[in-house]
Each structure stands twice: as C-alpha cells, then as structure tokens.
Amino acid sequence: MSVFSLASAPQAVNLLDAGSLLGAFGALGIAVVLFAETGLLVGFFLPGDSLLFTAGLLCASGTHGPVRMPLPQVLIAAVAGALLGAQAGYWIGRRGGRALLARSRSRRLHEGAARAEELLGRYGHARAIVLARFVPVVRTVLNPLAGALNVPARLFTLWQVVGGVVWTVGLVLAGYALGSSVPNVDRYLLPIVALVVAVSLVPLAAELLRSRGRRTAGEENI
C-alpha cells in the first residue's frame, strides 16, 4: 500500500462498514472500535459483531477481501479492545455514568440502558454482564451502568473478562471457520455480514417483544 493510499484511507472509511474499517486500519481498527463500542456511550452504533466475524473471515486462506489478516493478531486486538473498553466503561460509570446518559438525546441509547438495567435485575450481575456482550447497544450501556449501580469491581472484572473472551474469540473463530471451509466465501461478504448483523439483533428484538407483551398485559390488568 502506498503512502498516498494510507493517508487517504481514513477519509474514505465507513465506520458502519466492517470491511471498510478493516481495510483502512487492520487489527488496530478492531481494538479501537471494540474499545469505543464497549467502553464509550458514543460508540453504541459501531458494528462490533460484524467486525469480529468479518475479521475472522479475512484471516482464512483462500479469501481475497480488502485485507488479509493474521489470526493471532486479530484475536489479541479483539480481546484487548473488548476487555479494556468494558473496564473503562465501568469506571466511567462509577464517576458519573448516569449523568452522562441523562445528557444523551438518543432514544436508542436510553432504551438500551433500560434493557441493561432489566438484565441486571432479572439475571443477576454475573449472568447479565456475560449475556450483555451478545446484545448490541446493551453491551455499550451495561458497563457504565454497572459502575453507576456500584456492582463490585472484582465481580464485574471477572465476568466481563469471561463474556468478552467468549464473544470476541467465538465470533472471530466462527468467521475463520467459514472462510476456511467455503472456497471464495469472501465473494458473498456483504450478504454474510448482513446475516450476522440480523442474527445479532435477534436477542434485542426478542427483548422488545417481551417488554411490549408485559406492558400490554399490565394495561389489560388495570
């Protein structure tokens, strides 16, 4: 890649496109995106699931995507970004997470906060911290919310590490396995990524339907 193309890459990068992010920034982009998505409230829109799966896909031999990536480097970057981001989000929450959330005008972010708090109440701290990793937006909001609710630091750290490793390594290896077993699978990268995004939204949709059902039942009982 020439110096000119390196300089121009950030100008053309699409933050919502996993392939564009990986082509522009490689493994460093994985770490930064996951840190922002899991640690900073402003990162709730970033494509964590599709980024991890696409990165794993591009590690497989026989693919010819925007960049060829070494699997160990991708795994290290993914785990580091996700774990450091969650821990940063927790400490941000301890120092004023609810105030930061209150200043946000994003309806999606506030809905994610409500679901995160519901997860913590329904499943307990340990299970909620792990499960939140697999739900878009909720994984962004739960970490600072856990800090704001004074979830014990040791308990949070233990289970965010467990959830973070399972989430990142699982999705990267799933992409790698598909890329290794299906020849020229990168030709179908866009529909595959769209499918991953759709699957990642299933828990969110299910939770919305359950919440709507509970509200309807409550209104009928009034």
Side-chain angles (χ1 to χ4, degrees):
M1 185 180 288
S2 68
V3 174
F4 176 77
S5 60
L6 278 171
S8 61
Q11 298 176 357
V13 69
N14 180 356
L15 293 177
L16 301 179
D17 181 358
S20 176
L21 282 165
L22 293 169
F25 303 114
L28 177 62
I30 298 172
V32 171
V33 166
L34 294 189
F35 181 91
E37 191 197 13
T38 59
L40 307 176
L41 290 174
V42 294
F44 70 91
F45 64 90
L46 293 170
D49 294 313
S50 59
L51 183 69
L52 290 168
F53 189 86
T54 304
L57 193 68
L58 296 177
C59 290
S61 58
T63 57
H64 306 87
V67 64
R68 178 71 189 283
M69 308 181 70
L71 183 61
Q73 189 179 92
V74 167
L75 289 172
I76 291 170
V79 170
L83 300 193
L84 292 174
Q87 208 64 35
Y90 174 82
W91 289 111
I92 288 171
R94 287 288 285 261
R95 288 162 171 77
R98 284 199 179 275
L100 290 172
L101 185 62
R103 284 198 289 269
S104 173
R105 297 181 179 179
S106 170
R107 180 181 175 185
R108 187 179 175 194
L109 198 58
H110 284 283
E111 289 175 348
R115 285 189 293 274
E117 195 158 8
E118 186 178 351
L119 274 178
L120 286 166
R122 182 189 301 178
Y123 297 112
H125 295 159
R127 288 178 63 191
I129 291 166
V130 173
L131 291 172
R133 287 287 191 176
F134 299 88
V135 185
V137 184
V138 175
R139 64 172 161 260
T140 303
V141 182
L142 186 133
N143 301 317
L145 189 61
L149 294 174
N150 292 315
V151 173
R154 288 186 179 181
L155 183 148
F156 175 82
T157 301
L158 170 63
W159 292 107
Q160 76 93 350
V161 168
V162 172
V165 170
V166 171
W167 175 57
T168 55
V169 173
L171 278 175
V172 169
L173 292 183
Y176 180 78
L178 181 64
S180 300
S181 59
V182 180
N184 300 316
V185 70
D186 51 295
R187 293 180 181 177
Y188 312 101
L189 188 58
L190 287 178
I192 289 172
V193 169
L195 178 61
V196 171
V197 172
V199 170
S200 72
L201 291 174
V202 168
L204 192 62
E207 189 60 38
L208 283 172
L209 289 174
R210 280 195 293 268
S211 298
R212 184 175 298 175
R214 285 193 293 271
R215 284 198 301 271
T216 302
E219 291 170 358
E220 290 175 351
N221 292 330
I222 295 176

